[in-house]
Amino acid sequence: MKPHVFVDRPLAPEVEQSLAAHCTLDIWTDGDTIPRDELHRRLSNAEGFLTAGRRIDAALLEAAPKLRAVSTISVGYNHFDIDAMKRFGVIGTHTPYVLDETVADLTFALMLGAARRVAELDHYVREGKWKRGDGEQLFGVDVHHAVLGIIGMGRIGEAVAKRARFGFDMTVQYYNRSRKPDAEQRYEATYAELDELLATSDFVVMLAPLTEETKDMIGREQFAKMKASAIYINVSRGATVDEDALIDALENGVIRGAGLDVYKQEPIDGSHPLLRFPNVLALPHIGSATTKTRIDMAKAAANNLIAALNGETPPYLVPEFRS
Ligand code: NAP
């Protein structure tokens, strides 16, 4: 008998077909996020769950006694309560690699957009404020030849470093818990302790995963160490930064600006104080959101789930579940 799988969003037809060849499928197609009670009901007989970002906690696992694997269509898996999953004998998989270049492109879009004030000046033109030349009030700062500090030089960090070094002649420095000599050589990058990176970078890009260790990693103390001309970019997860501290830093000119794809609360409320600042470029968590990459991610997530339910080791088992 085929294992039963619940999917909490519609997928590309070819991905649904490939899953349907191996599993019986129940797919939530309502458009809105599935309410918690309904999710628990749908999971009551599921052996597999395909999602993107849904919190997997003890309450959900209790409601899903047959569940064996959760496959997320994302590389980040901070929504997995790993301890609870292990307790309930449920494994987790994710989708690294397929999105690296796409997320790196978006990181650069934020860097360029914040540096050259792209969204702000688009509004300026549309609002009919462009009456004369291009006075100093429209000037930005250069990305090329600037110093880039990457916090979290992993798969995506390296794709950003490649663009920075070879496309924009930037000087690349990074901070990780462990050094990566290969990456240092490939991108002529240097390792810096966090405080040094903060003090010497023109762009500080956060790309470390959200963990207990990185929660609120960038706060008042860290903004105070940055250059007043620095631009802070967050493409990782909103909770890696203390948003109140970021607001204060923007309000008091402690840094020049910010480019954000992620927030503590998503979707961010339109009246959120962070959105008051013209020098904040704000995107709706679209790092991996191109049609091709999202389909590739869904394919990878489906393959992970099929393998897990067949009793095989999935291609991208979350590291904490590797024995
Ligand atoms: P990855 O390959 O695992 O890289 C993460 C890097 O962060 C590693 O090099 C790791 O090095 C470093 N790191 C981990 N904990 C750290 C800590 N406490 N302090 C400093 N560095 C630390 O992950 P990835 O595939 O590049 O993805 C990175 C993150 O990007 C994901 O977890 C996700 O949150 C985010 N993301 C966002 C979007 C979006 O749409 N905005 C899309 C994709 C991914 P060490 O282990 O040596 O410290």
Side-chain angles (χ1 to χ4, degrees), residues 146-211:
V147 178
L148 169 63
I150 300 174
I151 303 172
M153 178 79 119
R155 291 170 291 250
I156 301 169
E158 286 202 37
V160 170
K162 179 174 64 181
R163 283 159 178 72
R165 184 67 205 104
F166 304 118
F168 289 80
D169 277 316
M170 297 181 86
T171 299
V172 179
Q173 49 185 359
Y174 76 100
Y175 169 68
N176 269 7
R177 290 166 305 177
S178 51
R179 283 183 73 151
K180 296 184 87 176
D182 289 356
E184 289 177 25
Q185 213 166 27
R186 265 196 301 275
Y187 312 113
E188 297 165 34
T190 51
Y191 181 84
E193 289 303 331
L194 182 60
D195 285 356
E196 187 194 339
L197 178 146
L198 295 171
T200 55
S201 297
D202 299 309
F203 295 84
V204 175
V205 172
M206 172 55 90
L207 270 166
L210 174 61
T211 62

Side-chain angles (χ1 to χ4, degrees), residues 35-316:
R36 193 180 155 90
D37 287 353
E38 182 61 16
L39 175 63
H40 288 188
R41 204 178 65 72
R42 299 284 188 107
L43 284 174
S44 62
N45 62 345
E47 289 176 67
F49 179 27
L50 194 77
T51 181
R54 190 75 188 210
R55 177 93 189 132
I56 308 299
D57 55 14
L60 177 142
L61 295 163
E62 260 160 32
K66 296 185 177 165
L67 199 62
R68 291 193 278 137
V70 179
S71 174
T72 182
I73 311 172
S74 62
V75 62
Y77 54 87
N78 50 286
H79 51 292
F80 286 176
D81 179 336
I82 303 277
D83 290 342
M85 289 171 75
K86 283 186 174 170
R87 249 189 353 265
F88 282 83
V90 173
I91 60 168
T93 66
H94 67 149
T95 62
Y97 300 107
V98 288
L99 42 53
D100 296 350
E101 302 291 335
T102 298
V103 180
D105 279 355
L106 195 275
T107 306
F108 254 85
L110 282 172
M111 287 165 60
L112 289 162
R116 299 300 300 273
R117 303 164 57 188
V118 171
E120 183 191 350
L121 296 182
D122 171 274
H123 290 134
Y124 174 87
V125 174
R126 286 170 199 270
E127 286 161 14
K129 292 180 179 161
W130 189 27
K131 303 290 185 203
R132 287 181 274 124
D134 65 347
E136 242 180 79
Q137 80 278 9
L138 308 187
F139 289 4
V141 291
D142 284 328
V143 173
H144 68 86
H145 294 95
V147 178
L148 169 63
I150 300 174
I151 303 172
M153 178 79 119
R155 291 170 291 250
I156 301 169
E158 286 202 37
V160 170
K162 179 174 64 181
R163 283 159 178 72
R165 184 67 205 104
F166 304 118
F168 289 80
D169 277 316
M170 297 181 86
T171 299
V172 179
Q173 49 185 359
Y174 76 100
Y175 169 68
N176 269 7
R177 290 166 305 177
S178 51
R179 283 183 73 151
K180 296 184 87 176
D182 289 356
E184 289 177 25
Q185 213 166 27
R186 265 196 301 275
Y187 312 113
E188 297 165 34
T190 51
Y191 181 84
E193 289 303 331
L194 182 60
D195 285 356
E196 187 194 339
L197 178 146
L198 295 171
T200 55
S201 297
D202 299 309
F203 295 84
V204 175
V205 172
M206 172 55 90
L207 270 166
L210 174 61
T211 62
E212 277 310 309
E213 233 175 24
T214 61
K215 188 168 175 291
D216 288 331
M217 185 174 183
I218 305 300
R220 263 166 244 282
E221 210 184 302
Q222 287 68 35
F223 285 118
K225 288 184 175 136
M226 291 185 203
K227 291 182 176 184
S229 56
I231 292 177
Y232 172 73
I233 306 287
N234 192 0
V235 189
S236 110
R237 289 289 182 263
T240 58
V241 63
D242 173 348
E243 286 180 347
D244 292 336
L246 174 56
I247 291 166
D248 283 354
L250 291 161
E251 209 140 55
N252 298 310
V254 176
I255 60 170
R256 178 184 174 89
L260 308 173
D261 189 39
V262 288
Y263 311 88
K264 257 191 181 131
Q265 181 64 48
E266 296 183 2
I268 189 170
D269 192 284
S271 65
H272 193 286
L274 265 178
L275 304 180
R276 285 200 314 257
F277 298 98
N279 50 342
V280 169
L281 178 54
L283 295 178
H285 200 149
I286 51 153
S288 64
T290 65
T291 306
K292 180 182 182 308
T293 294
R294 281 292 171 83
I295 292 176
D296 289 347
M297 289 166 69
K299 280 183 188 161
N303 290 340
N304 277 332
L305 195 56
I306 292 165
L309 295 179
N310 277 340
E312 297 156 16
T313 304
Y316 299 114

